[in-house]
Amino acid sequence: MKVFITYKIPEPGINLLKEKFDVDVYEGERFLTKQEMMERVKEADAVVTQLRDPVDKEFIDAGKKLKIIANYAVGFNNIDVEYAKQKGIYVTNTPDVLTEATADITWALILAVARKIIPADKFTREGKFEGWKPNLFLGYEIYGKTLGIIGMGRIGKAVARRAMGFGMKIIYHNRKRAEDDYKYNAKYVDLETLLKESDYISINAPLTKETYHLLNKERLSLLKKNAILVNTARGPIVDEKALYELLKDRKIAGAGFDVYENEPEITEGLEKLDNVVLLPHIGSATYETREKMSIMVAENIIDALEGKIPRNLVWKE
């Protein structure tokens, strides 16, 4: 049986697959076009896809022998899951494994924006540091402030757990109240209350029809002038152009991005602002996490091609 990997993943997962199957790994640096991927998936029994790969009806139909689409990500909004299911093709993801790494990068962004780490680093490297000054790179304190979490799933809870060490007041908004919110001293509130009261806002919700532009122009206008917004979930949850206008006009204190509405494109002008930190979607980018993810996609494929139900199926059987 043949496995096609659309972009090289860490060796542990590839090696697991090579023990059992014929593996076609794309080794290039540039991304394959959709047409190139469709050509190579024709003979594949399984495919390992990346979050940026458009796995739509056309792609799925090209994979006439496909038994499983194993997404190398926790999210799977790049895949037409319902169509794959109709055709009897499993779809899997890599849940849980990237929770802690993504929570870490959320906090890296909160700290970097609040304490102006990036411009201060640039200032120092350019030889402009002349000594301590009372008003040099004044930022915002974090300890004791209010953190609002949008999406209290695994990652949201991991962000909350870290916030407890900063003595923060934690409020959150979710589809429904988290039964274990007492563990984090977290209070469930409606979205508007969260936006009005939070000093820091962390977006950790999945992208769905309901969460697309959840933070639109109207809701973003509710933010405090000293608010800092961080998004490590999915770009389209936020109206990026509306957020840019707020940042440009200094109507909020700052923002940290690891994801973008039209990734990899970034709203023009964001890169010129000194009150934002821009990352290239590296939430799960630790050696440990990415290797575990590679093993998970391999195990999902082995399950499917050996006639078992994959362990990380995105729907319940």
Side-chain angles (χ1 to χ4, degrees):
M1 290 186 175
K2 186 173 182 178
V3 178
F4 169 44
I5 302 176
T6 66
Y7 197 91
K8 188 175 181 180
I9 63 175
E11 291 293 337
I14 294 174
N15 292 338
L16 264 180
L17 291 169
K18 283 183 175 179
E19 289 175 10
K20 295 176 175 285
F21 312 115
D22 175 17
V23 182
D24 171 21
V25 184
Y26 171 62
E27 302 272 0
E29 277 301 314
R30 74 166 181 86
F31 295 112
L32 289 173
T33 65
K34 182 181 173 184
Q35 290 303 124
E36 289 171 327
M37 288 191 289
M38 286 170 56
E39 187 62 34
R40 290 171 76 156
V41 82
K42 282 181 180 178
E43 299 301 318
D45 298 278
V47 60
V48 177
T49 53
Q50 310 294 321
L51 190 59
R52 68 171 307 283
D53 295 338
V55 186
D56 55 13
K57 289 181 180 180
E58 188 180 23
F59 181 101
I60 292 168
D61 284 340
K64 299 186 184 301
K65 297 171 65 179
L66 278 180
K67 297 173 181 64
I68 179 172
I69 300 163
N71 216 37
Y72 185 71
V74 66
F76 46 89
N77 52 287
N78 59 309
I79 300 171
D80 189 333
V81 173
E82 286 305 313
Y83 188 65
K85 191 175 182 181
Q86 286 173 26
K87 298 202 71 173
I89 300 168
Y90 290 127
V91 178
T92 61
N93 64 341
T94 58
D96 299 335
V97 68
L98 46 66
T99 298
E100 302 303 333
T102 306
D104 284 348
I105 209 75
T106 299
W107 271 96
L109 283 169
I110 289 172
L111 287 161
V113 178
R115 297 305 303 272
K116 304 186 179 178
I117 300 297
I118 305 301
D121 175 86
K122 183 174 183 287
F123 176 88
T124 306
R125 290 174 188 269
E126 291 175 350
K128 296 177 180 178
F129 178 48
E130 298 173 338
W132 184 89
K133 294 180 180 179
N135 296 315
L136 188 62
F137 290 108
L138 296 181
Y140 296 90
E141 291 194 3
I142 293 170
Y143 190 85
K145 296 295 182 70
T146 298
L147 172 66
I149 299 173
I150 300 174
M152 197 65 160
R154 298 183 189 96
I155 296 172
K157 289 173 183 176
V159 170
R161 195 167 64 248
R162 288 156 174 75
M164 294 172 73
F166 284 89
M168 301 187 84
K169 175 186 175 183
I170 302 168
I171 58 178
Y172 73 95
H173 180 72
N174 204 46
R175 284 176 298 175
K176 59 181 180 179
R177 180 173 179 172
E179 293 179 2
D180 60 348
D181 59 7
Y182 65 90
K183 293 181 181 178
Y184 314 98
N185 295 321
K187 180 184 177 183
Y188 178 82
V189 297
D190 61 68
L191 183 58
E192 283 69 25
T193 298
L194 182 147
L195 296 173
K196 289 176 182 177
E197 295 186 1
S198 298
D199 300 298
Y200 297 89
I201 296 166
S202 175
I203 301 173
N204 303 108
L207 177 61
T208 64
K209 290 179 182 177
E210 292 72 31
T211 62
Y212 175 80
H213 276 199
L214 181 68
L215 297 193
N216 55 22
K217 183 178 181 179
E218 181 181 0
R219 287 187 172 132
L220 287 169
S221 70
L222 300 175
L223 297 179
K224 293 180 178 182
K225 188 176 175 67
N226 65 336
I228 289 174
L229 176 70
V230 168
N231 189 4
T232 58
R234 289 292 179 264
I237 295 173
V238 182
D239 182 339
E240 196 170 288
K241 288 184 178 179
L243 179 56
Y244 164 71
E245 291 298 326
L246 287 180
L247 291 161
K248 178 173 64 74
D249 296 338
R250 306 284 170 170
K251 291 184 177 179
I252 64 171
F257 298 78
D258 188 44
V259 291
Y260 304 90
E261 184 169 353
N262 297 298
E263 198 166 309
E265 283 77 31
I266 299 170
T267 295
E268 187 177 356
L270 268 180
E271 76 286 352
K272 296 176 182 176
L273 300 180
D274 64 1
N275 58 344
V276 303
V277 175
L278 307 174
L279 300 181
H281 204 151
I282 57 171
S284 64
T286 65
Y287 293 108
E288 298 89 343
T289 295
R290 292 285 171 89
E291 286 191 1
K292 288 175 186 174
M293 289 169 65
S294 76
I295 291 169
M296 288 180 78
V297 294
E299 289 174 339
N300 284 323
I301 286 172
I302 292 167
D303 285 345
L305 298 190
E306 290 185 346
K308 303 172 189 172
I309 296 174
R311 58 198 79 183
N312 298 120
L313 200 58
V314 302
W315 63 78
K316 292 182 180 179
E317 283 290 284

